[in-house]
Structure formats: C-alpha cells, structure tokens
Amino acid sequence: MDKNTIIGFVLIAVVLIGFSWFNQPSAEQIEAQRKEDSIAAVIKENAIKKQQAEAEARKAKADSVAKGDTTSLFFPALNGTNQEIVLKNDKVELTFDTKGGTISKALIKNFEDRDNNMGVILFDQKTQQMNFMLAGKQDNIITQDLYFTPSNVSDSTVTMTAEAGNGGSIVFDYRLGKDYLLHFSLTANGLAGVFAPNYKEMDIEWNDLARQQEKGFTFENRYTSVTYKEKLGGTDYLNETSEKIDEKIEETLDWVAFKNQFFSAALIAKDDFRGGSLLTSIPQEKGSGFLKQFNAKLKTAFDPTGAQPSEFEMYIGPNDFRLIKDVEQQSEFGKDLDLEQLVNLGWWLVRWINRWFTIYVFDWLTSWGFSMGIVLILITLLLKVITFPMVKKSYMSSAKMRVLKPKLDEATKEYNKPEDAMKKQQAMMQMYSQYGVSPLGGCLPMLIQFPIWMAMFFFVPNAIQLRRESFMWMDDLSTYDPIIEWGTNIWGIGDHLSLTCILFCVANVLYSYMTMRQQKDQMVGTQAEQMKMMQWMMYLMPIMFFFMFNDYSSGLNFYYFISLFFSAAIMWTLRKTTNDEKLLAILEAKYKENKNNPTKKTSGLASRLAAMQKQAEELQRQRQNQKK
C-alpha cells in the first residue's frame, strides 16, 4: 500500500469521524429525547392502567348483575356461559365466542406453522380481541361484556344476538365467503331512544399480539407492521423497527391490517374509518414467541335506529399478491381496496418491475412445476439474457479503453504535473472522441443491474411461494440457512452463520476482483492510483453485506450468489472472445475516418472539458495581469 493510498484512508477516516462528531446530538437534544422517552413511557403506563381500570369496571358491573342488579340496559346479556361457534371452508377456520360475539381465533389451512404442524394460527382468544363500543345516554354498551345467543348456525353463517332489558338487541351477522373473506354487520334493534339524537358513530378497539410464525425473528419482524389504506390516497404503515404508541392518523381510512411477513388480518369498513384513528405498534422481545403488540382504535358510522347496519369485511389469509387481488373481487363494498399492497413490492420503479415483470415470469415458471430453487435460477438466467446486449455494449466500451491505454499513456505523458491535470483529462477525452469511445459506457452494467437487484430484494422475501420450500441444503428458502448456531445473540451477526450469505459475499469478492482488474487495465496516470483506493473499498463491501444479509432469507442470498456467478461467467467469456488486435484495428479505422472528416464534432464531455480548460486558462491569465 503506497503513501497516497494510506493518506486517502486517513482522510476518509477523518471525514467519517468528523461527520459522526458533527452529527452527534447536543446536550439539549439528548435532554429532549430523554423527556420524549419519559413521556412515551408515561403514556404507555397510563394506557395499561386505563385498560386495567376498564377491565375492573366491567368485572364489577358483571358482579353487580350477578347479585341481582338490573340497572344496566343489557342486564339479561351480562350473565351466561361462553360457547364457541366455528365457521370454516377449505381455506380457513374461524372461531367465534358467544361472550363478546366476535371472532376469537383464526386458523389458516394448507400452510405449515413454525413447528411444521399443518395449519397456521394467526391469532387466538389469548392474544386478540375485537370490541365494539356504543355510547348511550345513560349507559355504555361494550360488546366484550355481553353474552350473545347464536342462531342461523352453519359452516358459513352465524347470527349472534345480545338481548337488552327493553326488548331491543345488538345483532352480529357473519357470513364466510369461499376463500379468505369474512362479511359481517352490526345492527342495533329497538335501541333508538338509548342514544343521543346526534349520535352517528361507534368506536372499535382491536388488539393483537402478533405471533412469530417463521424461524427468523429479526427478519420476520422487518415485515410485520400495522398497515392501513387511506381513502383518498395510498397505503402506509407504522415503522416496523420503532415503538409507536397511539399514533394519530387524521386521514379517513378504508381498512387497517395487522400484517405479518406472510399472513395478514385486515378489517375493512363499508362506511370508512373516520379520521383520528389511533394505531399502536410495540416491538416484543426475541424469544417471547411474539413479534409486536398491535392496537387500533377506530371510529365508523353507526345508525341508532337500526335501519342501516354497520357493515364490515375481514381478509384473513396469506400475503399472496395474485390471491389477494382475486379475493378482493369478492368484496361487496365497491371500493378500490388495493389490498395487494399488503405484499411489499418496493418503491415505485422497483414495484413497477415486480408488478409487471417479476410476478408474471415467476408465475409462468412455477406453472411448469419447477422447484422454487430452479425457478430462482431460471429467473436469473432470463434476466441475464435480457440485459446481455447492454452488458456486452458496456463491456466493449471498457475493452476499447483498455486497448487504447498504451496510446493514451504516450499521448498524455507530457501532462504529469499536478497543474496539468485538466489538460491531461482534456487530451484523453479528445482521443476518446476521435476513436469513437465513450468513457462512461463502463458504468452501464451497475446502472442496469441495480434496479433489478433492488426488485428482487423486495420480491423474494415477500414471495410466500418460497415459504417452507427446500432446495439443495436449504430447508426453507424464506429464511436463513445456518451452518452453525450458538443460541446467543451477537451484535451485528445474530446467533448463526448463513451459508448462502457466505457464498454471496465470497462471490462478491471474486466479482469485484474481476471488475477492478478490468478497470485497472484501462486507467491512465492518476486514475490508476485512485483505483487502488476504490479497490480496497470494493473489497470492504462484501463485509458490509455479510452483516446486512446474514439474517436475510436464503432464497435472496442464493439469487444474489447465482446472479454474481453468471455475471462473472459472462465477463470471463467476453474477455476470452474479444480479440484486442482486431478491436484496435477497428478503432484505428474509426480514427482515420474522423480525422478525414473535419466537420466531425468532439463528444459532449470532451467539449465541456475543453470549455472548462479555456475558462481556467483565462482566469489564470487575468490573475497574472493583476499581479503586473
């Protein structure tokens, strides 16, 4: 390592340390953050106390009713025995409790759980509650306090009725569709006088402790969030990595979903959820078996006369893009729900690639019955075939610069002084232009590959088709493939080493070596010295990738490994099949053609460098005149 490289590394270190020091929070910012954390802790503690107080109040009311107190409007429904009612089809099995009258357990069929048992329990009565609350003039009606009587019971329907003391009732009507969509409504019968004349909305509180469904806690947590759809906008979500307590959403919402990596429960309101919804997401500890504590406090339309029921739908199923779009067609609300946004396909350009290319290709290849590992290999091959003409053109641009290097060295050797750097660059650009070479052509492969790499970065972790699919040594393409595990979390690494991540990083080193070697052969003068520093930085990138991707899915790491392997093979093949002598002869012919054509303009870059050089010379001349 020469002196210039060492100085470069020292300067980089100084910049990084200085940037870190400059961006460190001030004492005032630290104190403000401490206060904010304290406030958040108090809010959280108060919320817990409030829930406990409400639970105790409901228990006290139930005890008073048991002792003969009939002051409550719904005293006939405050005592009873809980009974479970099950609705089911070929896709899901939903359990309803007569205590509360709402869904208490959701079992998604045809998928294995984390322990390889058939059927995924998305939630149960221990972790999930849905409560509908109505504010009466003298008494609040809380469905979780009431016992409902079931009727019209079948595999797909049930009616839950809670009787009031005045002869009125609260009625839930449930109807399970053929797939993953549950239709239901809430109606108040004979209760018009119980509510204020201007009372037009109800409150809904929905809680869920999201279960860990996959092997990789950290990786699954990245894709677990409270997601919602704005009525006049797109979808959004609470940050997956930070704690959000009662975040207020002012916009009107079509739906709110508690989303895991591969499964979701979404609550949809026909008459929208009014602005001011409070959404909460609290991360849970690793090893607890849970990912996040979710809470949604919502408001929607309610008709006290009972003439118009409050209608809802719930999607309870897998995050499968095609399937969700099909199921969404079964909705009876006539809305553009856009539920397929539960499958995160990336930001707009990346999403466009995945939406209109990757999904179609993936579906086509899987229809042939190939295993998921083969599908990933075939997708990689197809992408390489599509981008090959541009990659070849880019490679040939680099090859032209390589064969011209001796001529460039000879033509620019008189400009070795630091103050002649601009002249040297101008001379190089002039020669490139004369020989018909674009020095920017070598950057094309990265520009081509980056959107594709990012598209697969979002597609593979969200492709439920890879879940529980094995290939070669990988037991599950949707999670990491450990070659060793040690049970204790180490910062930056975790508790395992992933084999596909190691293969990807090694392949990255080899590919970087080939790329740097090729670029080194075409660099002139100080460019070659600068390339040494770039070379070390390129070799450090795989180390960074290891810390990033060790926890990621083996399918994604395998795709990157195969992609780099094919890229290296293409580069090696192009290098072996390129005849430098013939290429130089073609460039010489181009040079003669341009030389004999005096009207031929120089390239845009060369022209700009020439203009900059003239400006610099003019400025230097003015300074010298001023000194005289």
Side-chain angles (χ1 to χ4, degrees):
M1 190 179 296
D2 61 16
K3 178 181 177 182
N4 291 335
T5 303
I6 294 173
I7 293 173
F9 274 114
V10 171
L11 290 175
I12 290 174
V14 170
V15 170
L16 291 175
I17 294 171
F19 182 79
S20 300
W21 177 84
F22 181 77
N23 284 277
Q24 67 179 348
S26 64
E28 292 79 6
Q29 290 173 322
I30 293 173
E31 179 63 20
Q33 183 62 46
R34 187 191 65 77
K35 290 180 179 179
E36 184 177 333
D37 293 341
S38 300
I39 292 170
V42 170
I43 293 173
K44 183 177 179 180
E45 183 180 354
N46 290 339
I48 294 172
K49 289 180 179 179
K50 182 180 178 182
Q51 291 176 357
Q52 292 174 344
E54 290 173 351
E56 291 173 0
R58 288 196 295 268
K59 184 177 183 301
K61 181 183 290 187
D63 291 341
S64 67
V65 171
K67 295 176 181 178
D69 182 5
T70 59
T71 57
S72 173
L73 174 65
F74 274 86
F75 71 88
L78 289 174
N79 279 315
T81 302
N82 186 40
Q83 179 183 351
E84 292 185 346
I85 306 297
V86 177
L87 303 186
K88 58 185 177 181
N89 56 27
D90 293 337
K91 308 296 178 60
V92 294
E93 182 177 298
L94 306 179
T95 302
F96 297 80
D97 283 351
T98 57
K99 172 67 184 298
T102 57
I103 184 171
S104 60
K105 181 181 178 181
L107 175 69
I108 302 176
K109 300 179 179 180
N110 308 318
F111 291 92
E112 291 183 352
D113 66 9
R114 188 156 55 109
D115 298 320
N116 300 320
N117 299 315
M118 187 54 68
V120 171
I121 299 175
L122 188 58
F123 56 77
D124 61 20
Q125 63 273 19
K126 296 179 180 178
T127 61
Q128 188 267 170
Q129 297 86 34
M130 186 176 291
N131 195 10
F132 295 79
M133 296 168 286
L134 305 168
K137 288 187 288 187
Q138 296 181 348
D139 200 6
N140 292 329
I141 303 170
I142 301 173
T143 58
Q144 282 295 314
D145 296 340
L146 307 179
Y147 285 89
F148 289 74
T149 302
S151 61
N152 189 31
V153 179
S154 69
D155 281 348
S156 60
T157 62
V158 64
T159 299
M160 297 279 198
T161 305
E163 300 289 348
N166 67 349
S169 62
I170 294 290
V171 179
F172 284 112
D173 271 309
Y174 293 99
R175 176 167 47 89
L176 179 61
K178 64 179 182 178
D179 290 314
Y180 300 96
L181 202 61
L182 174 70
H183 310 265
F184 71 100
S185 64
L186 182 150
T187 308
N189 296 320
L191 300 175
V194 173
F195 305 100
N198 61 345
Y199 186 72
K200 299 295 183 182
E201 65 182 16
M202 72 168 73
D203 292 280
I204 304 171
E205 185 165 4
W206 184 22
N207 302 292
D208 183 29
L209 191 57
R211 291 167 173 260
Q212 180 182 344
Q213 304 288 0
E214 314 304 324
K215 179 172 67 175
F217 173 87
T218 304
F219 189 63
E220 185 183 4
N221 226 341
R222 290 190 182 102
Y223 297 92
T224 300
S225 65
V226 178
T227 305
Y228 53 91
K229 162 71 165 54
E230 298 174 6
K231 182 176 178 63
L232 300 178
T235 57
D236 206 345
Y237 57 91
L238 300 188
N239 190 295
E240 305 100 325
T241 58
S242 62
E243 183 174 291
K244 297 290 184 180
I245 299 177
D246 288 348
E247 180 166 318
K248 194 170 185 178
I249 309 298
E250 298 294 349
E251 293 81 4
T252 301
L253 306 179
D254 279 329
W255 51 262
V256 173
F258 294 161
K259 174 185 174 296
N260 283 52
Q261 182 180 2
F262 291 122
F263 303 96
S264 292
L267 180 62
I268 308 160
K270 181 179 181 179
D271 296 313
D272 313 324
F273 294 118
R274 310 298 170 84
S277 300
L278 297 177
L279 305 178
T280 298
S281 175
I282 303 174
Q284 303 299 294
E285 293 294 328
K286 185 175 182 179
S288 66
F290 300 98
L291 301 167
K292 290 185 174 73
Q293 172 68 58
F294 293 144
N295 176 263
K297 296 178 182 178
L298 312 166
K299 292 180 181 295
T300 192
F302 171 69
D303 182 4
T305 68
Q308 186 67 38
S310 298
E311 296 184 63
F312 306 90
E313 291 173 338
M314 282 192 76
Y315 173 79
I316 302 173
N319 299 333
D320 184 321
F321 188 90
R322 293 282 192 210
L323 184 148
I324 292 177
K325 284 192 69 68
D326 291 340
V327 171
E328 188 176 318
Q329 301 304 312
Q330 302 169 24
S331 173
E332 299 173 357
F333 296 162
K335 293 183 174 185
D336 183 13
L337 295 175
D338 215 16
L339 274 171
E340 66 271 14
Q341 294 282 353
L342 289 170
V343 183
N344 183 7
L345 297 179
W347 36 272
W348 69 271
L349 174 60
V350 170
R351 183 175 182 83
W352 188 90
I353 294 173
N354 282 328
R355 174 67 181 87
W356 300 108
F357 175 78
T358 311
I359 290 178
Y360 281 97
V361 172
F362 188 83
D363 290 345
W364 177 65
L365 291 174
T366 53
S367 68
W368 288 83
F370 296 120
S371 70
M372 290 298 107
I374 297 297
V375 168
L376 289 175
I377 293 174
L378 292 176
I379 287 178
T380 309
L381 279 171
L382 181 60
L383 291 171
K384 294 301 178 185
V385 170
I386 293 173
T387 58
F388 178 76
M390 291 177 285
V391 171
K392 182 179 180 181
K393 184 177 179 180
S394 174
Y395 172 82
M396 294 308 297
S397 177
S398 298
K400 291 174 182 178
M401 294 171 68
R402 182 182 69 247
V403 299
L404 284 176
K405 184 176 182 296
K407 291 182 176 292
L408 287 170
D409 288 337
E410 180 65 25
T412 60
K413 63 181 181 180
E414 60 181 297
Y415 303 119
N416 287 328
K417 296 179 181 179
E419 59 268 22
D420 293 334
M422 183 69 74
K423 292 182 179 179
K424 185 171 186 176
Q425 193 71 16
Q426 182 182 349
M428 290 168 54
M429 293 300 104
Q430 183 68 28
M431 284 194 67
Y432 283 143
S433 180
Q434 291 171 341
Y435 281 94
V437 176
S438 172
L440 300 179
C443 302
L444 194 59
M446 183 59 69
L447 297 177
I448 296 170
Q449 293 184 49
F450 183 73
I452 296 174
W453 275 48
M454 288 304 298
M456 296 304 287
F457 177 82
F458 284 99
F459 177 79
V460 173
N462 289 288
I464 194 171
Q465 293 84 351
L466 299 181
R467 186 177 184 268
R468 297 292 188 272
E469 289 292 325
S470 61
F471 183 68
M472 298 174 68
W473 68 87
M474 294 165 279
D475 295 330
D476 185 350
L477 288 168
S478 70
T479 188
Y480 58 83
D481 55 322
I483 55 174
I484 183 173
E485 295 181 275
W486 48 81
T488 303
N489 187 65
I490 298 176
W491 184 86
I493 299 177
D495 56 5
H496 64 274
L497 289 179
S498 175
L499 179 56
T500 50
C501 179
I502 294 173
L503 291 174
F504 161 47
C505 293
V506 171
N508 205 336
V509 171
L510 296 177
Y511 182 71
S512 297
Y513 173 76
M514 293 180 66
T515 304
M516 290 294 107
R517 185 174 179 181
Q518 175 178 309
Q519 292 180 354
K520 183 179 179 181
D521 291 341
Q522 68 192 42
M523 294 301 172
V524 179
T526 57
Q527 291 180 333
E529 293 297 323
Q530 295 170 356
M531 183 54 61
K532 292 180 181 179
M533 186 181 300
M534 181 64 70
Q535 181 177 356
W536 283 104
M537 293 177 66
M538 291 295 289
Y539 288 154
L540 289 174
M541 283 185 66
I543 299 177
M544 179 184 70
F545 284 150
F546 170 76
F547 289 106
M548 288 177 58
F549 287 90
N550 188 48
D551 230 3
Y552 273 62
S553 69
S554 56
L556 182 63
N557 281 318
F558 180 71
Y559 164 77
Y560 283 154
F561 166 68
I562 293 297
S563 179
L564 285 169
F565 174 81
F566 285 133
S567 295
I570 290 171
M571 185 179 295
W572 182 84
T573 302
L574 289 172
R575 183 69 180 90
K576 290 297 182 181
T577 56
T578 301
N579 188 313
D580 287 0
E581 293 180 359
K582 290 183 179 180
L583 183 59
L584 183 59
I586 293 172
L587 293 175
E588 291 289 0
K590 186 71 173 178
Y591 175 77
K592 291 179 180 178
E593 178 185 340
N594 291 335
K595 188 175 182 181
N596 295 328
N597 183 10
T599 61
K600 174 74 175 179
K601 294 183 178 180
T602 59
S603 68
L605 182 59
S607 300
R608 286 191 294 271
L609 285 171
M612 291 171 61
Q613 176 64 23
K614 289 181 180 179
Q615 291 177 0
E617 291 175 352
E618 180 63 27
L619 182 62
Q620 183 67 23
R621 215 171 10 251
Q622 291 177 1
R623 289 176 177 173
Q624 290 176 352
N625 292 335
Q626 290 175 357
K627 290 179 179 179
K628 293 179 180 179

